């Protein structure tokens, strides 16, 4: 498992797409210093929101481009023969892949998180009056929750990769599940407020227990307002994501053990 | 208890999407022997290998492999683009639990496959032949007990093929068991102890090195094609051509055979040494 983790991490780190994503994230971060000035009263809030969003977007792009490529392409291009031809169990392969991806994402998040300090500190130093409510603690907690969300998304990608053969199909499934998981909460609250959609609301109430709820890990808005998230909700969401991820990984391991590679 | 068999395949059937890729084959590979699987494209060789390695499950039948220390080279191997050859070989060693003399082993194997100067280059920069050489190095670096090579000569230049031939000869001398698929019949002829020819999922012919050598000592005597001739040599091995029929005779008996046929009224048109014995056996088997 350790060997798979290591080569996955190396492959990810050397992927040029990763650097393009970093550059893109940095551009967004620094654009925040320009765009935030259109919202003077909310300048601190907009800067924080922009930078957290840049981090989140970078995480998504890494997941959908680098992660999907690292797993599904093993199957697409039959690199899997080389790995499974060694003394590596199929479960070891799945867990190793996950560990490698998680390590890659953690490193990417740490770097982007540190980089986001630059525009925030710059703006805070130049216009401190608008950063009275800004809280580094809330900002860090929101960034950490986003990191967990990204790792959670990667377990979804691994889960799909365990039974889908084409990388493009894995990509489409993962994007659809992400969109559903990110917007389900909002859709549910909207349809629940109207009696017209009571049947849909009932259906969505069942779906919400199946589809991973990525929106529960979104603390960007509270962080932008400098508010610490309630501990119960915050740690509950983190625990939910970790348990769900563990279940998905176990299922992926079981499915992968039964999979054939003709 | 010592098991003399490395691989035992018994009535193996594999169906993939309604198509029978392997149709009830059985064979054994003894420890320390070289076994070759021959056949046209789509004959079922790679499917057999994938079943041995556990990549696919048999539809029915049994596959027993008496080792977990296996070196495998896939057909048209594809490795991790951004890894260097050194990292690929280090991965091969560490995944086999080998931690000692890592650097020395990597350098030695890279030298053996003629890739010493490319150790620090990423695999995505390699040509097909270089990837094949890297794959061979990755399959053999951990000194496996069982080596399974799917078309090891594929994509290699004559020097590369010579290198693979030498490596396989060395493995054979060291007592490793080798199972390989190849289209290069001359290499199979020189290397294997036993060979099986597969056609449409079945083993249609199996022969040992001794049988092959015996076949090599034969001479093909050609006669004009006729039904009476075929009747006269019906007990013998023949090959039919457009105008002629070739009859295979032991080289030592050639003169007496031609004389006896002359007395029966069949004059030999020409004779040809059967030095391409395996090619002949192969063509007959897959016809």
């Amino acid at each position: 498992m350790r060997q798979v983790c290591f080569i996955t991490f190396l492959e990810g780190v050397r992927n040029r797409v990763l650097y393009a994503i970093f550059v893109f994230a940095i551009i967004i971060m620094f654009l925040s210093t320009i765009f935030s000035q259109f919202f003077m009263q909310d300048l601190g809030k907009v800067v924080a929101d922009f930078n957290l969003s840049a981090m989140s977007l970078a995480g998504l792009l890494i997941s959908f481009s680098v992660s999907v490529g690292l797993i599904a392409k093993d199957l697409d291009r039959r690199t899997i023969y080389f790995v499974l031809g060694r003394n590596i169990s199929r479960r070891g392969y799945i867990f190793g892949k996950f560990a490698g991806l998680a390590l890659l994402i953690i490193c990417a998040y740490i770097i982007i998180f540190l980089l986001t300090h630059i525009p925030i500190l710059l703006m805070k130093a130049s216009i401190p009056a608008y950063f009275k409510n800004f809280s580094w603690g809330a900002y860090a907690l929101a960034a950490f929750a986003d990191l967990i969300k990204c790792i959670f998304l990667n377990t979804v990608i691994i889960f799909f990769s365990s039974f889908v053969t084409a990388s493009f199909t894995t990509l489409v499934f993962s994007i659809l599940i992400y969109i559903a998981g990110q917007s389900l909460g909002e859709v549910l609250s909207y349809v629940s407020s109207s009696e017209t959609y009571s049947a849909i609301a009932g259906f969505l109430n069942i779906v919400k227990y199946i589809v991973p709820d990525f929106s529960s890990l979104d603390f960007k808005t509270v962080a932008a307002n400098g508010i610490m998230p309630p501990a119960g909700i915050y740690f509950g969401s983190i625990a939910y994501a970790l348990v769900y991820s563990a279940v998905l990984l176990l299922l992926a391991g079981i499915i992968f053990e039964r999979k054939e590679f003709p | 208890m010592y098991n003399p068999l490395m691989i035992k395949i018994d009535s193996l059937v594999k169906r993939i999407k309604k198509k029978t890729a392997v149709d009830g084959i059985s064979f054994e590979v003894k420890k320390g022997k070289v076994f070759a699987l021959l056949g046209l494209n789509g004959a079922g060789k790679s499917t057999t290998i994938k079943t041995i390695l556990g990549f696919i499950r048999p539809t029915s039948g049994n596959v027993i492999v008496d080792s977990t220390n296996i070196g495998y080279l896939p057909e048209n191997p594809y490795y991790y683009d951004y890894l260097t050859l050194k990292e690929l070989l280090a991965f091969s060693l560490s995944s086999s639990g080998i931690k000692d003399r890592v650097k020395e082993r990597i350098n030695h194997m890279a030298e053996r496959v003629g890739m010493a100067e490319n150790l620090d280059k990423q695999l995505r920069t390699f040509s097909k032949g270089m990837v094949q050489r890297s794959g061979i190095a990755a399959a053999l670096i951990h000194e496996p007990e069982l080596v399974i090579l799917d078309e090891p000569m594929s994509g290699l230049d004559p020097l590369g093929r010579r290198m693979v031939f030498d490596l396989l000869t060395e493995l054979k001398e060291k007592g490793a068991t080798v199972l390989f698929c190849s289209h290069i019949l001359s290499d199979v002829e020189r290397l294997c102890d036993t060979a099986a020819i597969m056609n449409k999922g079945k083993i249609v012919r199996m022969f040992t090195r001794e049988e092959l050598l015996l076949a090599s000592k034969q001479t093909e005597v050609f006669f004009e094609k006729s039904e009476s001739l075929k009747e006269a040599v019906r007990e013998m091995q023949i090959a039919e051509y457009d105008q002629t029929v070739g009859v295979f005779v032991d080289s030592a008996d050639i003169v007496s055979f031609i004389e006896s046929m002359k007395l029966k009224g069949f004059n030999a048109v020409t004779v040809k040494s059967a030095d391409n014995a395996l090619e002949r056996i192969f063509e007959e088997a897959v016809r």
Side-chain angles (χ1 to χ4, degrees):
Chain A
M1 184 184 127
R2 241 190 5 216
Q3 294 90 16
V4 178
C5 169
F6 180 64
I7 55 168
T8 306
F9 179 72
L10 268 187
E11 274 280 291
V13 164
R14 288 177 186 164
N15 196 326
R16 285 175 190 169
V17 178
L18 189 71
Y19 299 101
I21 294 168
F22 269 121
V23 172
F24 179 65
I26 291 167
I27 291 170
I28 294 178
M29 283 174 217
F30 285 92
L31 279 179
S32 72
T33 58
I34 301 164
F35 283 111
S36 59
Q37 294 182 39
F38 296 121
F39 309 89
M40 281 312 272
Q41 291 299 324
D42 295 321
L43 193 137
K45 204 162 87 177
V46 173
V47 169
D49 205 11
F50 236 94
N51 281 282
L52 283 169
S53 299
M55 205 183 306
S56 193
L57 191 60
L60 285 180
L61 289 175
I62 291 171
S63 304
F64 290 132
S65 54
V66 182
S67 302
V68 169
L70 284 176
I71 305 167
K73 274 191 186 150
D74 270 17
L75 305 174
D76 253 1
R77 304 195 309 194
R78 305 285 177 210
T79 316
I80 191 84
Y81 289 152
F82 166 65
V83 184
L84 298 183
R86 327 290 322 166
N87 275 342
I88 293 168
S89 70
R90 293 180 179 209
R91 270 187 208 200
Y93 171 80
I94 285 287
F95 296 152
K97 275 279 165 190
F98 169 72
L101 287 177
L103 193 61
L104 178 73
I105 289 160
I106 289 168
C107 290
Y109 262 77
I110 289 171
I111 293 167
I112 296 171
F113 178 71
L114 293 174
L115 284 174
T116 61
H117 280 54
I118 302 169
I120 294 171
L121 287 171
L122 274 175
M123 294 303 286
K124 209 176 167 191
S126 57
I127 323 169
Y130 294 118
F131 279 86
K132 277 178 191 162
N133 291 331
F134 182 79
S135 156
W136 280 112
Y139 185 79
L141 282 177
F144 181 71
D146 206 74
L147 165 67
I148 298 295
K149 182 172 85 175
C150 195
I151 291 172
F152 187 11
L153 176 62
N154 273 269
T155 60
V156 172
I157 292 169
I158 288 176
F159 175 69
F160 283 129
S161 300
S162 67
F163 59 89
V164 173
T165 313
S167 53
F168 181 72
T169 319
T170 304
L171 178 67
V172 171
F173 278 1
S174 306
I175 291 175
L176 289 177
I177 286 290
Y178 178 76
I179 293 169
Q182 190 66 37
S183 53
L184 192 67
E186 275 180 47
V187 175
L188 188 61
S189 65
Y190 174 73
V191 294
S192 301
S193 62
S194 167
E195 278 187 21
T196 325
Y197 302 117
S198 59
I200 299 172
F203 171 71
L204 289 180
N205 260 314
I206 299 166
V207 172
K208 81 169 182 186
Y209 291 105
I210 302 164
V211 174
D213 184 6
F214 293 112
S215 64
S216 68
L217 292 154
D218 193 347
F219 294 96
K220 286 197 280 289
T221 313
V222 283
N225 286 297
I227 302 164
M228 293 291 276
I233 293 174
Y234 185 82
F235 290 110
S237 300
I238 300 283
Y240 160 79
L242 294 179
V243 171
Y244 204 131
S245 298
V247 172
L248 281 181
L249 272 183
L250 280 174
L251 283 174
I254 293 166
I255 295 167
F256 206 69
E257 275 196 340
R258 290 159 192 264
K259 194 179 172 82
E260 295 206 342
F261 303 99
Chain B
M1 202 181 84
Y2 177 72
N3 180 5
L5 294 180
M6 179 59 87
I7 300 171
K8 183 175 165 61
I9 291 184
D10 186 22
S11 313
L12 174 68
V13 176
K14 181 63 192 175
R15 284 191 197 94
I16 300 171
K17 291 179 186 169
K18 292 181 183 175
K19 191 192 167 227
T20 306
V22 176
D23 194 3
I25 64 167
S26 300
F27 67 85
E28 292 171 348
V29 182
K30 287 181 183 150
K31 281 181 183 163
K33 298 289 178 189
V34 178
F35 189 99
L37 269 178
L38 310 174
L40 302 173
N41 292 330
K45 308 182 298 287
S46 293
T47 307
T48 306
I49 283 182
K50 284 170 195 164
T51 318
I52 292 170
L53 287 160
F55 297 161
I56 49 178
R57 284 183 297 278
T59 306
S60 67
N62 290 312
V63 176
I64 300 167
V65 181
D66 192 36
S67 178
T68 51
N69 185 11
I70 301 171
Y72 170 55
L73 172 75
E75 186 183 10
N76 303 320
Y78 220 120
Y79 301 109
Y80 293 101
D81 286 341
Y82 292 94
L83 289 190
T84 62
L85 176 58
K86 193 188 275 177
E87 286 159 354
L88 182 85
L89 297 181
F91 172 77
S92 292
L93 284 173
S94 62
S95 59
S96 304
I98 295 173
K99 288 171 185 161
D100 66 311
R101 299 189 295 118
V102 170
K103 212 172 185 178
E104 189 189 321
R105 286 173 198 266
I106 290 173
N107 289 335
H108 172 71
M109 188 43 84
E111 194 79 50
R112 284 305 316 270
V113 298
M115 296 287 285
E117 286 171 11
N118 300 299
L119 270 173
D120 293 313
K121 288 183 187 160
Q122 290 185 357
L123 297 169
R124 68 194 169 92
T125 62
F126 286 3
S127 67
K128 192 175 185 285
M130 288 162 87
V131 171
Q132 187 77 359
R133 284 167 187 257
S134 307
I136 291 164
L140 303 181
I141 193 165
H142 59 293
E143 295 172 14
E145 286 177 333
L146 170 61
V147 180
I148 299 179
L149 307 170
D150 200 345
E151 301 293 351
M153 313 289 185
S154 168
L156 292 177
D157 52 34
L159 282 179
R161 278 166 54 186
R162 177 79 217 173
M163 175 270 297
V164 175
F165 182 81
D166 290 344
L167 275 170
L168 290 178
T169 311
E170 198 179 296
L171 280 168
K172 193 177 170 182
E173 282 164 6
K174 282 183 179 170
T177 310
V178 181
L179 168 68
F180 75 105
C181 295
S182 184
H183 286 119
I184 319 286
L185 298 180
S186 58
D187 292 334
V188 175
E189 214 162 13
R190 285 189 291 169
L191 270 171
C192 70
D193 294 302
T194 314
I197 300 174
M198 289 187 75
N199 192 26
K200 294 172 186 166
K202 288 187 161 94
I203 289 181
V204 287
R205 182 83 195 265
M206 210 150 159
F207 51 87
T208 62
R209 185 171 178 74
E210 289 71 30
E211 286 170 321
L212 198 60
L213 285 172
L214 201 66
S216 302
K217 285 178 188 162
Q218 289 190 320
T219 299
E220 194 173 5
V221 184
F222 292 86
F223 296 92
E224 271 181 31
K225 198 172 182 178
S226 70
E227 283 308 310
S228 54
L229 171 82
K230 282 199 264 180
E231 180 59 28
V233 293
R234 68 174 191 278
E235 302 279 307
M236 303 179 78
Q237 193 189 350
I238 63 164
E240 284 188 58
Y241 303 97
D242 286 344
Q243 308 283 326
T244 56
V245 171
V247 184
F248 293 95
V249 189
D250 196 304
S251 299
D253 303 330
I254 181 103
V255 177
S256 58
F257 172 72
I258 291 174
E259 285 300 320
S260 68
M261 290 301 283
K262 204 173 183 178
L263 290 174
K264 289 177 190 171
F266 302 107
N267 286 322
V269 177
T270 184
V271 291
K272 196 172 110 187
S273 167
D275 50 357
N276 53 348
L278 181 55
E279 203 174 309
R280 178 163 46 82
I281 293 171
F282 182 80
E283 280 174 13
E284 273 171 29
V286 299
R287 197 175 286 159

